[in-house]
Amino acid sequence: MSVAPYSTIIQNGQQPLVIKIGSSLLVQDDQPRVDWMQALATELIQRPGPVVLVSSGAIALGRTTLGLDRKPTNLAESQAAAAVGQIQLAQRWAETWHQHGRQTAQVLLTLDDLEDRGRYLNARNTIETLLGQSIVPIINENDTVATGEIRFGDNDRLAARVAQLTQAELLVLLSDVDGLHTANPEMDQSARLIPDVKHIDASIDALADDGSGTNYGTGGMRSKLTAARIATAAGCPVLLTSGLGEQAPLSRYAETGRGTHFAALDQPRILRKQWLQSLQQHAGRVHLDAGACAALEQGGSLLAVGLTAVDGPFERGSLVGLIGPNGPIGQGLSGYSYDEASRLIGLKSDAFMDALGYAGRGPIVHRDDLVLFEG
Ligand code: GLU
């Protein structure tokens, strides 16, 4: 049933909700659609859990300021337009959320950042910290440093990676199309909207190639399906629906049911834990006290305060054994190098600055990066 995720996730959702907003929704006749942005924020503010926006529109906004009455034709021009437009985009979102008493933060990422383990961990910790303080991250691709052509549709994939990174409850791809259709509705009157996709198989994939349900959207259906595949494989369901019209898009979906809901594959967490379990080459060991062992049993992360000793050397991201007062209890990927971890033994995070010379970056081993041994 497609409408279910809206009501449960908006009203009760505790995990992050990631919303990707295409340029065509944010900019109309060269002007930002401020009323629509406001309607969206008014709808999202009702949610108890955190909200993350992946917002396009920098180039579309910047190009007007640069006096271009056409799309930028080369990379330098696109990047200049993005640089000019991004500041306006961030400001618009900040104003929109301030009206609801919420702070926003600008986060510019490249897809490459998320491939690199160290930068991935930093991005995850930054976003987690922002969400912990009820700040709304406004994410876009860092277009000024992108080395390839800036492709519309990149933000679909970026949003899917952000959904994965934040373990989002739902990724909503807001577009100028209602959803995935059986054929291109502009060309074929018999085209039907597909409300639910359980699995993106070859027959679903083929629909992207005949232009079904799209032109018309930036990025087209191909990049939407790629994004849906990434997110659902990471355990996050995806809703593709339209943000056209003045109405707030999630309410519109709840009323009309017009959208495509892609179900999440339910194994990724298990697969990741199995992978962590299968790793064998420990670079070092971290010793923890009984309180930290109990916290881990409850599904928590390993915090420095529960650390009693470290054996190294190891790098950040290395596999380390977790040793409790009675022996090995599990293993995980360290968030710090041996040198850093040894300086953090027994410390609370407010003492990290003095110990490291910087504020640190989260737990010693994040709960998603560790596995406990049976029994
Ligand atoms: N990052 C681009 C912008 O803000 C948009 C990319 C996309 O829409 O996929 O203008």
Side-chain angles (χ1 to χ4, degrees):
M1 174 64 192
S2 336
V3 179
Y6 167 77
S7 49
T8 52
I9 286 170
I10 285 292
Q11 285 157 23
N12 313 316
Q14 298 296 337
Q15 285 290 106
L17 173 66
V18 177
I19 312 250
K20 187 265 169 178
I21 304 153
S23 302
S24 58
L25 299 180
L26 281 167
V27 186
Q28 229 163 40
D29 301 328
D30 297 332
Q31 293 303 319
R33 288 173 72 210
V34 269
D35 291 346
W36 181 84
M37 291 165 81
Q38 196 51 256
L40 178 68
T42 305
E43 164 172 87
L44 294 174
I45 198 84
Q46 298 164 30
R47 184 168 200 274
V51 172
V52 179
L53 297 188
V54 177
S55 176
S56 305
I59 295 177
L61 279 176
R63 137 186 112 113
T64 318
T65 314
L66 287 183
L68 294 175
D69 52 7
R70 50 166 174 79
K71 282 195 171 167
T73 50
N74 59 50
L75 183 59
E77 218 170 64
S78 301
Q79 290 180 315
V84 170
Q86 179 59 34
I87 203 163
Q88 299 173 13
L89 186 65
Q91 195 182 352
R92 288 283 171 200
W93 279 123
E95 285 164 8
T96 304
W97 285 93
H98 278 172
Q99 295 188 22
H100 297 281
R102 283 281 195 99
Q103 298 292 332
T104 49
Q106 172 177 269
V107 178
L108 299 178
L109 295 171
T110 65
L111 282 165
D112 285 353
D113 289 334
L114 302 178
E115 302 302 331
D116 175 277
R117 181 90 202 141
R119 283 189 275 164
Y120 174 92
L121 291 175
N122 276 358
R124 187 178 70 183
N125 288 339
T126 304
I127 295 170
E128 259 184 17
T129 306
L130 293 169
L131 297 183
Q133 305 207 20
S134 299
I135 296 170
V136 182
I138 310 292
I139 301 180
N140 196 357
E141 178 145 35
N142 193 355
D143 290 325
T144 44
V145 300
T147 48
E149 277 309 316
I150 299 171
R151 278 167 313 196
F152 285 110
D154 285 350
N155 273 10
D156 292 326
R157 273 185 303 146
L158 184 66
R161 300 283 282 132
V162 168
Q164 180 181 24
L165 182 95
T166 55
Q167 303 219 345
E169 197 160 351
L170 176 70
L171 165 64
V172 181
L173 298 174
L174 290 181
S175 171
D176 50 6
V177 292
D178 262 345
L180 184 66
H181 288 74
T182 52
N184 186 336
E186 287 208 322
M187 323 267 283
D188 183 344
Q189 292 210 335
S190 67
R192 279 181 306 103
L193 179 73
I194 304 173
D196 287 292
V197 174
K198 297 230 163 359
H199 182 61
I200 305 173
D201 57 17
S203 67
I204 293 291
D205 219 35
L207 295 175
D209 294 328
D210 69 3
S212 310
T214 185
N215 109 6
Y216 15 113
T218 52
M221 198 51 71
R222 165 64 51 214
S223 75
K224 307 271 179 296
L225 281 185
T226 306
R229 183 176 277 117
I230 296 170
T232 55
C236 175
V238 176
L239 172 65
L240 170 61
T241 192
S242 169
L244 289 179
E246 294 309 311
Q247 199 183 354
L250 297 179
S251 312
R252 175 183 177 275
Y253 172 67
E255 269 171 37
T256 63
R258 291 200 66 76
T260 301
H261 179 253
F262 297 86
L265 304 182
D266 52 10
Q267 290 156 332
R269 214 178 141 69
I270 300 168
L271 289 178
R272 177 162 172 84
K273 291 285 174 182
Q274 279 170 355
W275 170 74
L276 281 166
Q277 186 102 43
S278 72
L279 300 177
Q280 294 191 0
Q281 296 289 337
H282 291 182
R285 301 194 302 174
V286 298
H287 299 261
L288 40 149
D289 63 18
C293 291
L296 264 49
E297 299 280 346
Q298 306 279 318
S301 297
L302 172 57
L303 306 181
V305 72
L307 207 58
T308 55
V310 286
D311 307 325
F314 53 83
E315 299 300 320
R316 181 162 189 235
S318 297
L319 181 70
V320 291
L322 308 176
I323 319 293
N326 303 320
I329 62 156
Q331 59 190 22
L333 307 175
S334 177
Y336 293 86
S337 67
Y338 165 72
D339 181 47
E340 291 169 317
S342 13
R343 286 192 254 160
L344 296 179
I345 291 170
L347 297 186
K348 292 207 171 123
S349 55
D350 55 9
F352 283 15
M353 179 60 100
D354 280 345
L356 295 173
Y358 65 94
R361 36 178 132 75
I364 300 290
V365 182
H366 192 281
R367 60 179 180 275
D368 298 335
D369 295 337
L370 66 83
V371 67
L372 297 182
F373 301 143
E374 298 281 316

